[in-house]
Amino acid sequence: WESNYPEIIEKILNLLGTNKELIVRSSSRSEDSFTSANAGKFKSILNVKPDKNIKNAINEVIKSFGKNADKKDEVLVQPMLSNVKASGVAFTRTLENGCPWYIINYEENNDTSSITSGNSKNHKTCIIRRDKFQKVSSPGWINNLHNSIKEIEKLISYDSLDIEFAIDADNFVNLLQVRPLVKKNKNTPEDNIYMKKIDISRSTWQKLYCCPPHIPGNAPPAYGLMPDWNPAEIIGTAPGELSLSLYKYLITDDIWAQQRLEFGYRDVRPAPLLVSFSGRPYVDIRLSFASFIPKNLPDKLAGKLLKYYLNYLDKNRTYHDKVEFKVVHTCISPNKGEWKDRLKKSNIFSESEILLIEKELKLITQNAFSKPKTYLKEISKLEYKNQRIMNSNLEPLEKARILIEDCRILGTLPFAHLARCAFIAMTLLNDAESSGIISKKAKDSFLNTIKTVSKEFKIDGNKAMNNNSDWRKYVKRYGHLRPGTYDINSKRYDSDDSFFLQISCKSEQKASEEKISFKTWEKEKHNFFNSLKKIGLPYDEELVEEFLYKSIEGREYSKFVFSKNLSDSLEEIAKFGYDFDLNREDLSNLNIFDILNLRDSEEETDSIKNYFKSLSKSNHAKRDISSKLQLPNLIFSEKEFDIFFIDANIPNFFGSEIITKNFVEIKENSNTNFSKLNDKIILIERADPGYDWLFSQNIAGLVTLYGGANSHMAIRSAEFNLPAAIGVGEKIYEKLIDSNLIQLDPIKKIIKGLK
């Protein structure tokens, strides 16, 4: 090229013609090797006019190789594809661990660079286990691409590849580039270990396929990571055995269903809400949706309603983290006409059936207004008993046992009731706003007057900083909090005062923080009360406001008290473990019942230690495998254990300020540099109540991978009017991490990474 470029240009034009646009691409010897990829480091120039720009384009690509380029580096010149209907990148193993799944990222448009450039607007992912392929009907070209990938692997005798492709109008596969994936982890277990786990999960699905006789309608099964009680957010997608067993025992084995029955919904007991697929905690959606059907509805109508809900979610999978807002009707509110119209359009329900559903939901909603006082009294008993237990001389394991039992009996039920009341309260306010009955300012001005534990945490901290007596009280009141509520490895706030508590106290409020006046609510609240009157709900000003306050404040208070019992029990378990040379990591991989059964064990100390060390090691290995498995967020068919698709999530947006900021990602159980959080957008996979300290750090915004519209962080963000995108999903989250800045516009519901 450097010695005779005119001759080379002539050859290119003779071979490729002068009518089609070209693409000029790098082929440097320093990219696409088995030790380094350098993907995207050098230039590729698209849509090059062959008769005008080819020389400049080739020189530009060569220039991108840098001053120390190898003389044997090459440049590829190819015809631009036409009639492209889909394009993307396929990895023949997972990027992080080289595990045996094909990961196909694609977008169905005519832009062949949208995936690799990060500019994709409708990015989808197809995940296929390597040893089994189930043909798909849509998009049909996936079948052709799978055949092409297998052919490439056979041709080059290598199965860890990064393949760029484009699909034309005839479903023909065009390979744009093939490069080896550089293996990060050379000690990955054998493929068959992962595949056996998936096969066991498939067997579990088959065992649980039949609908229990007390669930109406003989509905098919469905499972999800996010609907109802949100295990992915609270304990993670691959929790330790201790976290998982505690979550099941305290909440999802029985109490969750008891609460629904007491509130006026259908009795689905006995009904464990969680099902474990290869160590992943999935919500049984069939049971969850059945538990939200009013108990007085006839079985036939209840069965129709359950099947309708399941089918609607299957067709609208991006609603999986907002089912109570978009799928299931659990109360009535000022915009009840919206969901009634949806039921009518389904052509499944008669007018009389819809009116009956409305009548029963109205009864449940009406009854909710009188309940918060009762549940607040119940939760106060738990707080009183906690003090007596912690001040006793009981052995650590006996303390832990009683704390956990009290937590389940006195804590979970009133907490769940108050959470249900708070959901109704927020639904009434949100729907009044969305229907134009009140303004967003009016809603925000009311919420600004609510005194939650999170607000008290900040106020009390500021007071405590300059007074030793107040500081001791502050540590005693809030010290039990921990970022991972169910995780024994997660540090409590009082384990190192300076780690969370002092830094929370020292943080300053935003200087520009707007104080929202209560007057706006006062001006508009009568419109709100009148809207309740029109739909047959209580509308007395004093009663309604008391319900709103006690429900929303009570939910946060009950969660706070509940978490204290749980946190204290984990510390007592840690003390017990110390006597048997079991550290926190060892204990995190043990089932709570295995631990508590030692209460009256007469085995020798060494025998107990050796047994639990071995069991913990085995469970840890299983958890490690589980964390690397590829499983869908929603499972509606057995086939999805072999192949499934992921659509981009629709995040839950909060706040009213548009921001473009740098970000900080906070990883679980990692030390945090608090000085770097100020005025940054925080990215975090999941955040339970133990992460409330974030709101005292003057952060600019919040983004979470997991979390629903009614999750803890959603509630907190709304309370502080903080710009937030909750539950953005894996694809959006990964794109954001790969960016330099994040733009968050809660008003237009836009979040994107900027390079």
Side-chain angles (χ1 to χ4, degrees):
W1 173 261
E2 290 177 347
S3 61
N4 191 7
Y5 71 82
E7 183 180 333
I8 293 175
I9 290 176
E10 186 178 349
K11 284 182 181 179
I12 291 170
L13 296 179
N14 287 337
L15 184 65
L16 302 180
T18 58
N19 297 325
K20 285 189 174 181
E21 291 183 336
L22 305 174
I23 177 170
V24 180
R25 310 172 65 188
S26 66
S27 185
S28 166
R29 291 165 67 84
S30 68
E31 63 182 328
D32 306 341
S33 72
F34 287 91
T35 55
S36 64
N38 283 327
K41 182 177 180 181
F42 307 115
K43 279 201 172 182
S44 292
I45 302 173
L46 287 65
N47 303 309
V48 176
K49 304 283 185 187
D51 56 339
K52 292 181 180 180
N53 301 327
I54 189 167
K55 176 187 170 186
N56 291 340
I58 292 172
N59 281 332
E60 208 172 325
V61 172
I62 292 172
K63 187 179 178 182
S64 75
F65 292 159
K67 294 179 181 178
N68 299 319
D70 191 318
K71 289 295 181 183
K72 293 182 181 180
D73 283 347
E74 295 179 347
V75 175
L76 303 178
V77 182
Q78 301 167 304
M80 281 292 292
L81 283 172
S82 57
N83 297 320
V84 172
K85 71 174 186 181
S87 62
V89 177
F91 301 118
T92 62
R93 287 183 174 274
T94 62
L95 275 173
E96 299 83 1
N97 302 293
C99 295
W101 279 269
Y102 294 115
I103 314 292
I104 302 170
N105 299 293
Y106 68 94
E107 183 161 23
E108 294 186 294
N109 64 20
N110 60 3
D111 182 0
T112 58
S113 66
S114 61
I115 295 292
T116 53
S117 67
N119 294 323
S120 170
K121 294 179 181 176
N122 191 25
H123 175 194
K124 296 182 180 179
T125 301
C126 175
I127 298 178
I128 308 167
R129 60 184 281 183
R130 284 186 57 88
D131 66 331
K132 281 190 182 179
F133 178 65
Q134 299 267 358
K135 285 189 176 182
V136 296
S137 56
S138 179
W141 56 261
I142 289 280
N143 306 313
N144 295 346
L145 177 62
H146 180 261
N147 290 335
S148 297
I149 293 171
K150 299 296 284 186
E151 183 183 355
I152 296 165
E153 291 177 335
K154 187 176 180 181
L155 280 168
I156 63 176
S157 299
Y158 193 71
D159 69 0
S160 188
L161 300 169
D162 169 353
I163 301 170
E164 290 181 33
F165 64 89
I167 311 297
D168 64 23
D170 298 319
N171 280 351
F172 191 83
V173 179
N174 298 271
L175 298 175
L176 306 181
Q177 187 158 277
V178 179
R179 58 166 65 96
L181 286 172
V182 179
K183 291 185 178 180
K184 296 178 183 176
N185 186 355
K186 296 180 180 178
N187 298 316
T188 302
E190 295 292 325
D191 289 358
N192 67 322
I193 293 176
Y194 296 101
M195 297 302 96
K196 281 180 182 176
K197 281 279 188 183
I198 296 296
D199 287 337
I200 291 169
S201 293
R202 180 197 290 274
S203 297
T204 303
W205 165 278
Q206 292 167 346
K207 289 177 198 171
L208 299 175
Y209 185 87
C210 288
C211 186
H214 63 292
I215 303 303
N218 196 28
Y223 299 93
L225 290 173
M226 293 297 293
D228 207 349
W229 281 101
N230 237 338
E233 182 188 24
I234 303 300
I235 57 175
T237 55
E241 190 67 27
L242 181 58
S243 296
L244 179 59
S245 58
L246 276 169
Y247 198 66
K248 283 182 172 183
Y249 184 61
L250 291 176
I251 296 171
T252 65
D253 279 352
D254 179 66
I255 299 293
W256 76 280
Q258 182 182 340
Q259 185 277 322
R260 300 275 160 87
L261 172 63
E262 291 182 7
F263 212 82
Y265 300 108
R266 192 174 187 91
D267 188 0
V268 295
R269 299 173 301 171
L273 183 63
L274 287 192
V275 172
S276 179
F277 290 118
S278 300
R280 300 287 186 92
Y282 278 82
V283 168
D284 186 329
I285 302 174
R286 178 169 58 187
L287 285 177
S288 169
F289 285 6
S291 77
F292 278 127
I293 294 172
K295 63 183 176 184
N296 293 327
L297 286 186
D299 284 355
K300 186 177 179 181
L301 176 55
K304 281 169 63 175
L305 195 57
L306 176 57
K307 284 184 177 179
Y308 166 74
Y309 288 153
L310 290 168
N311 186 53
Y312 191 79
L313 177 60
D314 190 15
K315 290 179 179 177
N316 299 274
R317 294 191 172 208
T318 52
Y319 294 160
H320 74 114
D321 61 347
K322 44 185 79 67
V323 292
E324 287 189 63
F325 296 89
K326 297 290 188 178
V327 181
V328 182
H329 317 308
T330 61
C331 62
I332 66 160
S333 65
N335 77 343
K336 64 172 183 169
E338 184 180 314
W339 62 259
K340 285 177 71 176
D341 288 342
R342 186 149 56 86
L343 291 180
K344 285 177 186 176
K345 287 176 184 175
S346 72
N347 294 318
I348 296 172
F349 305 95
S350 67
E351 186 70 33
S352 61
E353 286 175 327
I354 294 172
L355 288 173
L356 182 56
I357 293 168
E358 180 186 5
K359 176 188 171 186
E360 292 302 324
L361 288 176
K362 183 189 292 185
L363 182 62
I364 289 171
T365 312
Q366 288 170 336
N367 290 340
F369 280 75
S370 61
K371 293 182 175 182
K373 279 184 181 178
T374 304
Y375 304 134
L376 282 168
K377 285 180 182 176
E378 289 297 309
I379 203 74
S380 64
K381 295 177 184 175
L382 182 65
E383 192 170 30
Y384 170 71
K385 281 198 73 177
N386 175 277
Q387 295 173 10
R388 294 183 64 193
I389 295 163
M390 295 307 294
N391 291 331
S392 72
N393 294 320
L394 292 169
E395 289 292 309
L397 199 56
E398 188 65 359
K399 277 188 182 179
R401 183 188 68 81
I402 299 173
L403 287 166
I404 289 168
E405 282 300 316
D406 280 352
C407 201
R408 189 177 75 87
I409 297 167
L410 300 175
T412 305
L413 192 58
F415 163 48
H417 275 303
L418 285 163
R420 179 61 25 202
C421 290
F423 173 81
I424 292 173
M426 288 304 302
T427 299
L428 295 175
L429 288 168
N430 289 334
D431 286 358
E433 180 205 336
S434 64
S435 303
I437 295 163
I438 59 173
S439 66
K440 185 178 187 306
K441 262 192 172 180
K443 185 187 81 171
D444 290 344
S445 73
F446 172 77
L447 292 176
N448 194 55
T449 64
I450 289 176
K451 296 176 182 177
T452 62
V453 171
S454 190
K455 283 183 179 176
E456 290 175 355
F457 176 60
K458 293 168 74 174
I459 294 167
D460 293 348
N462 289 331
K463 289 179 182 176
M465 277 304 294
N466 300 314
N467 186 308
N468 286 335
S469 176
D470 286 345
W471 178 254
R472 286 192 295 273
K473 291 177 185 175
Y474 183 63
V475 173
K476 186 176 180 180
R477 176 160 171 73
Y478 299 102
H480 69 273
L481 295 171
R482 62 174 90 227
T485 303
Y486 288 78
D487 186 1
I488 197 169
N489 284 311
S490 182
K491 280 188 174 183
R492 275 171 54 125
Y493 282 18
D494 59 10
S495 63
D496 177 357
D497 290 353
S498 64
F499 190 68
F500 287 118
L501 294 175
Q502 287 189 24
I503 199 73
S504 298
C505 297
K506 289 175 183 175
S507 66
E508 297 178 1
Q509 295 289 325
K510 291 181 184 178
S512 61
E513 188 172 47
E514 182 184 354
K515 295 294 181 183
I516 304 171
S517 171
F518 188 61
K519 290 179 181 177
T520 317
W521 169 253
E522 289 289 322
K523 286 179 184 176
E524 299 184 30
K525 67 181 182 180
H526 295 291
N527 296 336
F528 177 68
F529 301 141
N530 286 336
S531 73
L532 300 184
K533 182 179 181 180
K534 284 179 183 177
I535 59 174
L537 294 181
Y539 57 91
D540 175 76
E541 178 178 335
E542 187 176 338
L543 173 64
V544 172
E545 285 195 338
E546 182 183 59
F547 169 70
L548 297 176
Y549 278 118
K550 288 194 179 301
S551 296
I552 299 170
E553 292 176 353
R555 169 181 55 190
E556 304 314 310
Y557 167 69
S558 62
K559 194 183 297 182
F560 181 77
V561 175
F562 171 92
S563 66
K564 179 165 176 55
N565 251 49
L566 176 55
S567 185
D568 286 342
S569 69
L570 289 175
E571 291 309 295
E572 295 304 316
I573 289 170
K575 289 177 186 175
F576 149 79
Y578 182 81
D579 291 337
F580 291 88
D581 194 27
L582 297 168
N583 60 34
R584 289 175 183 265
E585 179 60 31
D586 295 330
L587 293 164
S588 72
N589 292 302
L590 298 175
N591 188 291
I592 184 60
F593 297 109
D594 288 335
I595 294 171
L596 293 180
N597 283 343
L598 288 175
R599 175 179 178 242
D600 55 358
S601 172
E602 296 182 358
E603 291 285 334
E604 293 183 0
T605 300
D606 284 348
S607 177
I608 292 171
K609 181 182 80 171
N610 293 336
Y611 171 73
F612 277 111
K613 283 277 187 184
S614 175
L615 182 59
S616 177
K617 186 177 179 180
S618 172
N619 287 341
H620 181 272
K622 290 176 185 176
R623 183 186 182 190
D624 184 58
I625 297 294
S626 174
S627 68
K628 295 169 184 172
L629 297 177
Q630 298 296 310
L631 287 168
N633 291 327
L634 289 171
I635 308 174
F636 275 86
S637 76
E638 186 181 336
K639 182 179 178 180
E640 288 177 299
F641 289 103
D642 298 333
I643 179 170
F644 60 93
F645 293 82
I646 302 173
D647 290 325
N649 269 37
I650 300 174
N652 303 284
F653 289 94
F654 300 90
S656 55
E657 182 185 355
I658 304 166
I659 57 173
T660 302
K661 300 280 185 181
N662 292 112
F663 69 89
V664 174
E665 185 190 13
I666 295 180
K667 294 188 176 179
E668 195 171 356
N669 291 330
S670 63
N671 289 328
T672 304
N673 187 336
F674 291 96
S675 64
K676 292 185 177 180
L677 303 186
N678 184 60
D679 202 34
K680 299 289 195 310
I681 294 175
I682 304 303
L683 264 66
I684 188 166
E685 287 196 6
R686 60 186 183 89
D688 62 14
Y691 283 92
D692 271 4
W693 56 270
L694 281 172
F695 295 97
S696 65
Q697 296 308 298
N698 197 24
I699 61 176
L702 178 66
V703 178
T704 71
L705 169 59
Y706 298 109
N710 198 36
S711 67
H712 182 80
M713 283 294 142
I715 295 159
R716 284 286 178 267
S717 299
E719 179 186 343
F720 290 105
N721 197 29
L722 180 76
I726 306 298
V728 299
E730 292 177 14
K731 288 191 287 189
I732 294 175
Y733 194 82
E734 286 170 6
K735 281 186 185 179
L736 296 176
I737 288 174
D738 197 35
S739 307
N740 295 322
L741 293 169
I742 292 176
Q743 185 179 80
L744 176 55
D745 183 346
I747 312 234
K748 293 181 180 175
K749 301 190 183 305
I750 293 171
I751 182 165
K752 59 184 178 181
L754 306 174
K755 293 289 186 180

